């Protein structure tokens, strides 16, 4: 454990002298994500779109995610859930909700041959709360309590096939307090975010600093202090431990922060004598590990940018 503390101190010292020529700003993604009870909705045949500040989504995906029976006949879309009913007519701003006419501020419409419906109107009239997340371009529907990976239905596996990465880094096989020895890992993908860890982890994406063309991982998490530590399992079968770069942290003003993590670090050679023929690139990383937490396994995100 002592050597990882050394990494933090050396890394912090190195980055304290590094001056960015530009202010790092987190630009919101243009992609709209819909979550029902804190789980992402996967739409078939089309993505959510924004039109006149109203989010429209494919008709069937949102109905099924909300547990409603969906029917589409000619120009009419019908949702049934318990005693609630909604009938939308393609191109019309008048809907029938529980047998009563209701005027909407937008209409169901055809988008690239697909029928799209107003997300907020359908969700609220099926009894769900709806809120907009400006930072991530997310629409939260229903409960906002983020589940753990296991609560989301993912399964752990034995750590044995992964131990080859930890030969020189056995400290990482124990929790930060040393009270848990990890014997399992849980693999997950970027589409399984968000998940609850030592912090709620909302998103993981790439960020490139424009002047020096340096690439970082940008992680959004719920925290009052700073983001947690990560480590990379590389194609060279070694581990690179990373802490968030303090000077690049962004407070989003909603209880979440963006933390930035170097892909390549000079500390790899300075402290561990890891010699790279070229700087480590994001495509050289197999898994991204999330350090800490109270679970009895190591969460490993399959690197979506690793290539072949």
């Amino acid at each position: 454990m002592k050597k990882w503390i050394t990494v933090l101190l050396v890394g912090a010292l190195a980055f304290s002298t590094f001056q960015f020529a530009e202010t790092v700003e987190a630009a919101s993604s243009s992609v709209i994500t819909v979550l029902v009870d804190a789980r992402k909705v996967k739409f078939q045949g089309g993505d959510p779109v924004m039109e006149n500040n109203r989010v429209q989504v494919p008709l069937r995906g949102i109905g099924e995610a909300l547990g409603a029976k969906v029917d589409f006949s000619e120009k009419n879309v019908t949702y049934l859930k318990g005693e609630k009913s909604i009938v939308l007519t393609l191109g019309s701003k008048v809907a029938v909700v529980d047998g009563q006419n209701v005027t909407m501020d937008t209409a169901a419409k055809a988008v690239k041959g697909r029928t799209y419906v107003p997300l907020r109107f359908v969700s609220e009239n099926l009894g769900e709360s709806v809120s907009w997340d400006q930072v991530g371009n997310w629409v939260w529907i229903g409960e906002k309590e983020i589940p753990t990976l296991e609560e989301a239905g993912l399964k752990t596996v034995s750590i044995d096939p992964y131990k080859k990465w930890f030969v020189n880094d056995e400290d990482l096989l124990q929790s930060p307090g040393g009270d848990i020895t990890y014997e399992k890992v849980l693999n997950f993908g970027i589409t399984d975010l968000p998940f609850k860890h030592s912090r709620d982890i909302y998103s993981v994406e790439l960020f490139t600093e424009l002047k020096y063309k340096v690439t970082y991982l940008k992680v959004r998490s719920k925290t009052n202090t700073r983001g947690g530590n990560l480590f990379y399992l590389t194609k060279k079968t070694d581990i690179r431990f990373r802490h968030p770069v303090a000077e690049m942290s962004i407070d989003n003003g909603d209880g979440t922060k963006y933390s930035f993590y170097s892909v390549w670090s000079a500390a790899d050679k300075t402290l561990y004598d890891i010699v790279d023929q070229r700087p480590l690139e994001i495509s050289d990383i197999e898994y991204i590990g999330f350090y800490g937490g109270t679970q009895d396994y190591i969460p490993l995100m399959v690197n979506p940018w690793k290539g072949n």
Side-chain angles (χ1 to χ4, degrees):
M1 189 63 63
K2 290 181 180 179
K3 66 180 182 179
W4 292 122
I5 296 174
T6 305
V7 170
L8 297 182
L9 294 175
V10 172
L13 179 61
F15 278 106
S16 68
T17 60
F18 189 87
Q19 299 297 317
F20 287 96
E22 302 173 38
T23 300
V24 179
E25 295 181 353
S28 295
S29 170
S30 60
V31 176
I32 298 171
T33 300
V34 177
L35 302 96
V36 172
D37 294 336
R39 304 309 302 160
K40 289 179 180 175
V41 179
K42 298 177 182 179
F43 294 97
Q44 300 296 323
D47 295 320
V49 297
M50 179 78 77
E51 185 176 281
N52 298 324
N53 291 322
R54 294 291 182 267
V55 177
Q56 300 259 354
V57 294
L59 72 93
R60 192 167 298 279
I62 189 58
E64 292 175 347
L66 293 173
K69 180 180 179 181
V70 184
D71 181 67
F72 181 62
S73 177
E74 296 182 354
K75 291 187 176 182
N76 292 330
V77 181
T78 303
Y79 296 98
L80 298 174
K81 182 179 180 182
E83 297 180 354
K84 298 182 180 296
S85 66
I86 305 171
V87 180
L88 306 175
T89 300
L90 198 63
S92 174
K93 290 187 177 181
V94 178
V96 180
V97 178
D98 299 334
Q100 301 295 317
N101 287 349
V102 177
T103 300
M104 305 180 290
D105 57 6
T106 186
K109 60 188 63 182
V111 179
K112 296 181 180 179
R114 299 280 180 177
T115 299
Y116 275 60
V117 299
L119 175 63
R120 179 179 290 274
F121 184 86
V122 171
S123 301
E124 289 183 339
N125 282 286
L126 289 177
E128 300 291 347
S129 60
V130 180
S131 60
W132 172 248
D133 181 336
Q134 183 67 41
V135 177
N137 270 7
W138 287 8
V139 182
W140 294 83
I141 300 173
E143 297 293 330
K144 298 178 71 172
E145 181 67 25
I146 294 176
T148 65
L149 292 169
E150 287 183 304
E151 289 171 344
L154 280 71
K155 305 297 184 183
T156 58
V157 297
S158 171
I159 201 171
D160 289 347
Y162 301 87
K163 281 188 174 179
K164 60 185 178 182
W165 273 284
F166 294 88
V167 171
N168 296 317
D169 300 286
E170 293 186 351
D171 286 353
L172 293 179
L173 293 176
Q174 291 190 325
S175 62
D179 55 332
I180 300 173
T181 298
Y182 300 122
E183 298 181 353
K184 298 178 289 185
V185 302
L186 195 155
N187 290 331
F188 66 99
I190 197 168
T191 58
D192 294 312
L193 299 171
F195 77 98
K196 183 180 293 293
H197 185 46
S198 56
R199 299 159 177 80
D200 288 350
I201 308 296
Y202 284 62
S203 62
V204 179
E205 54 192 299
L206 292 183
F207 170 82
T208 300
E209 190 276 327
L210 295 179
K211 183 170 183 178
Y212 298 101
K213 306 298 182 184
V214 177
T215 298
Y216 300 86
L217 280 186
K218 183 173 76 170
V219 179
R220 183 186 178 198
S221 62
K222 187 174 184 179
T223 177
N224 293 321
T225 53
R226 65 168 204 167
N229 298 320
L230 306 179
F231 56 91
Y232 307 144
L233 276 58
T234 78
K235 292 180 179 179
K236 293 178 64 174
T237 323
D238 59 27
I239 287 180
R240 315 295 178 98
F241 192 83
R242 298 291 184 262
H243 64 283
V245 182
E247 292 76 8
M248 294 178 69
S249 176
I250 297 174
D251 189 333
N252 295 314
D254 64 347
T256 70
K257 290 184 179 181
Y258 277 122
S259 300
F260 296 80
Y261 301 81
S262 301
V263 173
W264 176 84
S265 172
D268 294 336
K269 182 177 187 302
T270 303
L271 296 180
Y272 305 111
D273 202 29
I274 298 176
V275 179
D276 293 311
Q277 298 302 315
R278 56 175 175 76
L280 188 74
E281 298 179 356
I282 191 66
S283 59
D284 298 322
I285 298 169
E286 292 277 3
Y287 300 95
I288 300 166
F290 290 78
Y291 187 57
T294 59
Q295 74 291 330
D296 62 353
Y297 58 84
I298 299 175
L300 294 178
M301 189 181 90
V302 178
N303 177 16
W305 306 285
K306 68 179 181 178
N308 296 323

